[in-house]
Amino acid sequence: MATQRGGFSTRIGFILAAAGSAVGLGNIWKFPFEVGEGGGAAFVVMYLAFCFILCFPVMVAEISIGRKTQRNPVGAFKSLGFKRWSVIGYLGLASGVLILSFYNVVAAWAFGYFIDILSGTFSIGGEAFGQFTADWIKVGGYGLIFMVGTAFVVSRGIAGGIERAAKILMPTLFIMIIGLIIYAVTLPNAMEGLKFYLVPEFDEITGSVVYSALGQAFFSLSLGMGALITYGSYVAKTDNIVSSAASITLVDVGVAVLAGFMIFPFVFSQGIEPNGGPGLIFATLPGVFQSLGGILGVIIGAFFFLLLSFAAFTSTISLLEVPTAYMVDEHNIDRRIAAWLIALLIFLIGIPSMLSYGAVEALGNFVTMPGSDTPMPFLDFVGVIANDTFLPLGGFMIAVFTAYVWRTENFNLEIAEGDESIKGSWLQMYVDFALKYVCPVLLGAIFLVTVADKFF
Ligand code: VAL
């Protein structure tokens, strides 16, 4: 597709880039600790149901809105002729910026672990995670490097930057995960971990588990944050959106499920409680690698955190692309300038999150949510606002917009552009039905109930 905005050069390039956006810290860092806190397999069941039933249709809608309009999330709604609905685009933009602000901090932890383990400066022990995150100069340095890398790729545009990086990084990531699973399941107590992960106990499902499973599904699939509207705007008219979305969903869910097969045997082999929160993999895994001893431990440990950094990188790229595309399309700013400036701004917005894990006490105990008795760090609080609240709200509005404002007929014309055979297929019928009824009702209801519960 040769427009001045650039575009993905191949369909597989788009799928890899969008799957690269979806697969990230959400799958390998966040999913396991959410499962750990949400009681194990019961959470997994909720998460899977949400991904397929609610999120997949929203993904088709997002990609279609992007492709139809060839615009960033704010411009897209305007260009369809519904200026007021561009509030969805602004909400997505805000979510993307907030998420990237703390995401980059966690990416910096992952990248920092990789460098420190490789260089032999990593000190393993009970307090290692806390000591690492409290060292804000170091974390800041790694965070800056990560953000600079992200800005570099985004500044180079779609086919030359984003697509090329995804084509190399995604297959590598997959091979690395499989290798680590093979190792993990041979560890002592691995079976206990798998049992926790795979055998559901449904009495574990509470309101707050439902809420976090929904937030996790949106977060992991990169929905509601403008990323897939933006990536959709670079998709060729000849591509089949429904089957691309199905592939992206399957890859993302597949990697999350595989990450569980890797992490829980690791965690249980260390005799560690799985409900350790955001520090779960950072606090537990170095011990696993150390118990391997010597050079093997260093290699496998470094390998794991490199993997995590790779996964995070294709996601930070997509998050930065959202505000960059907005500045390029709506304000005619040169892509390079936009990418570098916004990256700097988001890095600065992320500083309180960076300081909230050990460097500044007040940020570490930032707020105590109703119904909880422990204060949460600033970083987690941004997550509650952006991931768990804004994203499902954005998804709800996108479903309502597509079905009732843009209207299903027009939406269907756009999906049929790439492939007429999709017309009348059961998959398309389901997507239409879900956007009309299932998503508005379920997303609306869960949103209202949980917001009332969480914030009041
Ligand atoms: N979807 C990604 C992830 O799961 C990002 C973009 C939030 O990590």
Side-chain angles (χ1 to χ4, degrees):
M1 188 180 70
T3 67
Q4 280 159 347
R5 297 173 74 243
F8 292 109
S9 62
T10 55
R11 173 161 181 256
I12 187 72
F14 162 62
I15 293 179
L16 285 176
S21 165
V23 172
L25 294 171
N27 309 58
I28 305 173
W29 161 71
K30 196 165 178 295
F31 177 69
F33 84 74
E34 295 276 2
V35 173
E37 285 181 340
F43 179 96
V44 180
V45 173
M46 301 282 331
Y47 162 79
L48 291 176
F50 287 149
C51 284
F52 291 112
I53 298 174
L54 298 177
C55 291
F56 167 69
V58 173
M59 182 184 287
V60 178
E62 283 205 16
I63 299 175
S64 309
I65 292 170
R67 186 175 74 174
K68 168 74 189 167
T69 58
Q70 321 249 311
R71 281 279 165 281
N72 66 91
V74 173
F77 294 93
K78 288 189 195 154
S79 135
L80 283 173
F82 305 101
K83 199 159 176 267
R84 273 199 260 151
W85 286 83
S86 58
V87 62
I88 303 179
Y90 285 111
L91 181 70
L93 208 61
S95 311
V97 166
L98 286 177
I99 290 175
L100 182 54
S101 78
F102 77 79
Y103 200 92
N104 192 62
V105 174
V106 183
W109 297 346
F111 184 58
Y113 266 48
F114 163 63
I115 301 282
D116 284 11
I117 293 178
L118 202 63
S119 63
T121 50
F122 191 79
S123 57
I124 294 176
E127 300 300 311
F129 174 64
Q131 278 162 7
F132 183 91
T133 56
D135 187 346
W136 63 271
I137 298 191
K138 194 160 144 178
V139 176
Y142 288 131
L144 202 57
I145 297 174
F146 213 86
M147 196 59 108
V148 164
T150 305
F152 177 76
V153 173
V154 171
S155 70
R156 295 176 61 97
I158 309 308
I162 296 176
E163 184 171 347
R164 187 180 299 169
K167 274 186 176 156
I168 303 170
L169 296 180
M170 290 303 292
T172 317
L173 174 75
F174 191 72
I175 296 168
M176 283 181 166
I177 295 186
I178 299 291
L180 283 169
I181 294 178
I182 294 174
Y183 171 62
V185 296
T186 62
L187 292 170
N189 252 345
M191 285 311 132
E192 281 305 300
L194 291 181
K195 209 171 125 208
F196 173 78
Y197 183 47
L198 296 176
V199 182
E201 286 178 21
F202 285 103
D203 52 349
E204 299 276 358
I205 297 187
T206 61
S208 105
V209 170
V210 173
Y211 178 71
S212 8
L214 185 64
Q216 173 62 18
F218 272 85
F219 183 85
S220 183
L221 289 166
S222 296
L223 294 173
M225 52 186 89
L228 291 181
I229 296 184
T230 309
Y231 273 19
S233 75
Y234 305 120
V235 168
K237 288 285 183 195
T238 46
D239 279 2
N240 179 330
I241 297 177
V242 180
S243 72
S244 298
S247 311
I248 298 162
T249 307
L250 286 173
V251 170
D252 185 63
V253 170
V255 174
V257 169
L258 286 178
F261 277 102
M262 163 172 79
I263 303 292
F264 289 105
F266 277 159
V267 169
F268 278 74
S269 76
Q270 292 284 292
I272 290 164
E273 287 298 317
N275 57 355
L280 182 69
I281 63 168
F282 290 100
T284 55
L285 296 190
V288 177
F289 302 130
Q290 192 195 35
S291 63
L292 273 171
I295 188 76
L296 190 63
V298 171
I299 293 174
I300 297 196
F303 192 52
F304 175 82
F305 287 103
L306 179 65
L307 172 153
L308 199 57
S309 308
F310 273 5
F313 192 51
T314 45
S315 300
T316 53
I317 291 171
S318 73
L319 288 169
L320 183 61
E321 176 58 25
V322 177
T324 303
Y326 167 73
M327 292 309 258
V328 172
D329 289 349
E330 303 298 299
H331 298 285
N332 250 328
I333 296 188
D334 181 77
R335 165 172 283 274
R336 273 159 305 180
I337 298 178
W340 286 105
L341 280 183
I342 298 167
L344 176 70
L345 185 72
I346 298 179
F347 177 78
L348 296 176
I349 299 176
I351 289 179
S353 293
M354 187 175 90
L355 297 177
S356 71
Y357 266 72
V360 175
E361 172 71 27
L363 288 170
N365 298 319
F366 185 68
V367 65
T368 306
M369 302 299 285
S372 153
D373 39 35
T374 35
M376 61 168 63
F378 187 80
L379 187 150
D380 300 40
F381 179 68
V382 180
V384 169
I385 300 294
N387 321 342
D388 297 351
T389 315
F390 285 7
L391 302 186
L393 176 63
F396 167 76
M397 294 204 287
I398 285 167
V400 170
F401 172 82
T402 307
Y404 298 104
V405 182
W406 187 24
R407 306 197 72 85
T408 312
E409 308 86 85
N410 296 319
F411 164 65
N412 285 343
L413 282 179
E414 182 57 32
I415 22 186
E417 277 266 342
D419 190 349
E420 285 276 323
S421 68
I422 194 75
K423 274 192 185 153
S425 69
W426 67 268
L427 208 52
Q428 177 184 9
M429 283 185 336
Y430 174 68
V431 169
D432 288 350
F433 178 77
L435 290 173
K436 260 195 178 138
Y437 307 109
V438 189
C439 297
V441 172
L442 284 183
L443 288 175
I446 299 176
F447 180 76
L448 289 179
V449 171
T450 48
V451 165
D453 177 61
K454 204 78 183 179
F455 296 101
F456 300 101

